[in-house]
Amino acid sequence: FTEEKFGQAEKTELDAHFENLLARADSTKNWTERILRQTEVLLQPNPSARVEEFLYEKLDRKVPSRVTNGELLAQYMAEAASELGATTPYGKTLLKVSEAEKRLGAAERDFIHTASISFLTPLRNFLEGDWKTISKERRLLQNRRLDLDACKARLKKAKAAEAKATCEGDTVPDFQETRPRNYILSASASALWNDEVDKAEQELRVAQTEFDRQAEVTRLLLEGISSTHVNHLRCLHEFVKSQTTYYAQCYRHMLDLQKQLGSSQGAIFPGTFVGTTEPASPPLSTTSPTTAAATMPVVPTVAGLATSGEAALCLEEVAPPASGTRKARVLYDYEAADSSELALLADELITVYSLPGMDPDWLIGERGNKKGKVPVTYLELLS
């Protein structure tokens, strides 16, 4: 090994396919470690908590249940409402937000648990199981290759010495001028080197057999990386599925909270608009009809005026109120579902206002001589 490092020994090279398998295995291991570490950071941003969980796992002890940030915030809000007055408008709102944050915390806990089982555990099992086996066999293959190269070097030296001894032994001595003893010693050395060559060739055959056997074992393990990729692909799909479910649940919880706060806002602040002035998140898109119900936020399709007489009223005949109209910027494109709705284009400015009894998730929008209902979540209300 040292002679190889100094370039003083020949090295048995592996074939190109084997080298490619080694490079792919190393790349798989390195990226798996990075993805695993960053996913752990995503699920648990607190480094102290991650260290604590790591120690519990190494000690084969159950990790204690940890309160999520959302659940802790919900607890503080509930306590604040109790102390400040649960019957006041502020206290009532604190209780509503507290319940929403509690549901968000529970959804986060479920997501962390599901992602840990379906994604982190398989990656960790690969690094702590399959990769350790591959590394062990690779080290054994390296030792077998060094043994093989050492046998080749020993045989090469033995053959060189044998050739030299044979050349000296082939010279017929002149018994008048040379000592017969030198000739006898040369013949004995030649026979000795013949035995050494035979022994080196036998050791080389054994070393070659062991190297070939170990190379085949290592090759089979390296080819198994393809199966590892398939398994990690399935786990990645499970992770995306759990993450999609988590964010869909968060959206539904926040949409319900927004509706509750919107209805109470109209009672507390009469004459103000119901809705949010912050940019809302665009609806999630999906190409799979089977997951549409779980992943796509749905804008309420039944919206309009409260009474049947008002619902039958033509929007073109509705005059805007004398005061209360506002400008709004459209955040996302919106395609009208029917003639009572107004199609929207992103970044355009429209005039909006509300009518008594309307669904709080909808407003009346005007653009030029066109008028129709528009969803509040697609708007940013301007002053």
Side-chain angles (χ1 to χ4, degrees), residues 31 33-34 41 51 63 71 87 100 111 123 204-205 222 224 228 233-234 244 246 252 279 317 330 334:
W31 283 111
E33 284 182 334
R34 294 182 183 182
V41 172
V51 171
V63 179
E71 292 172 328
T87 59
F111 167 61
L123 298 186
L204 177 61
R205 285 192 293 269
L222 293 175
T228 299
L233 175 62
R234 179 184 58 80
T244 303
Y246 167 61
R252 286 196 297 269
E317 301 176 359
V330 178
Y334 177 74

Side-chain angles (χ1 to χ4, degrees), residues 339-360:
S339 59
S340 66
E341 297 181 1
L342 181 65
L344 303 175
L345 295 177
D347 295 327
E348 69 173 334
L349 293 178
I350 62 174
T351 302
V352 295
Y353 53 89
S354 179
L355 296 177
M358 281 193 66
D359 189 320

Side-chain angles (χ1 to χ4, degrees), residues 176-370:
Q176 300 295 327
E177 300 180 1
T178 60
R179 298 179 180 180
R181 180 171 176 271
N182 293 339
Y183 177 76
I184 296 174
L185 291 176
S186 177
S188 300
S190 178
L192 180 64
W193 282 114
N194 284 336
D195 294 339
E196 187 67 23
V197 168
D198 293 339
K199 181 179 178 181
E201 289 178 345
Q202 176 63 24
E203 292 178 351
L204 177 61
R205 285 192 293 269
V206 174
Q208 185 70 53
T209 301
E210 293 180 351
F211 172 77
D212 293 340
R213 183 185 301 112
Q214 184 59 35
E216 184 63 22
V217 171
T218 308
R219 183 192 302 273
L220 292 176
L221 290 174
L222 293 175
E223 290 175 347
I225 292 293
S226 299
S227 300
T228 299
H229 288 181
V230 174
N231 183 41
H232 288 184
L233 175 62
R234 179 184 58 80
C235 297
L236 185 60
H237 279 283
E238 292 294 330
F239 175 71
V240 172
K241 180 180 178 182
S242 62
Q243 199 171 29
T244 303
T245 302
Y246 167 61
Y247 285 118
Q249 289 175 346
C250 292
Y251 179 85
R252 286 196 297 269
H253 295 328
M254 295 310 297
L255 190 62
D256 292 340
L257 176 62
Q258 187 182 40
K259 291 180 180 179
Q260 295 178 25
L261 296 183
S263 59
S264 61
Q265 182 181 356
I268 299 172
F269 306 106
T272 60
F273 280 94
V274 175
T276 176
T277 58
E278 298 295 330
S281 300
L284 300 177
S285 61
T286 179
T287 57
S288 174
T290 59
T291 60
T295 61
M296 180 182 294
V298 180
V299 176
T301 57
V302 180
L305 304 179
T307 64
S308 59
E310 291 171 333
L313 187 61
C314 179
L315 288 176
E316 297 296 335
E317 301 176 359
V318 175
S323 62
T325 60
R326 292 177 64 177
K327 290 293 185 180
R329 184 176 68 88
V330 178
L331 299 174
Y332 322 106
D333 293 345
Y334 177 74
E335 184 177 354
D338 52 45
S339 59
S340 66
E341 297 181 1
L342 181 65
L344 303 175
L345 295 177
D347 295 327
E348 69 173 334
L349 293 178
I350 62 174
T351 302
V352 295
Y353 53 89
S354 179
L355 296 177
M358 281 193 66
D359 189 320
D361 292 322
W362 294 82
L363 294 172
I364 302 298
E366 290 187 0
R367 185 201 312 112
N369 58 354
K370 293 185 178 181

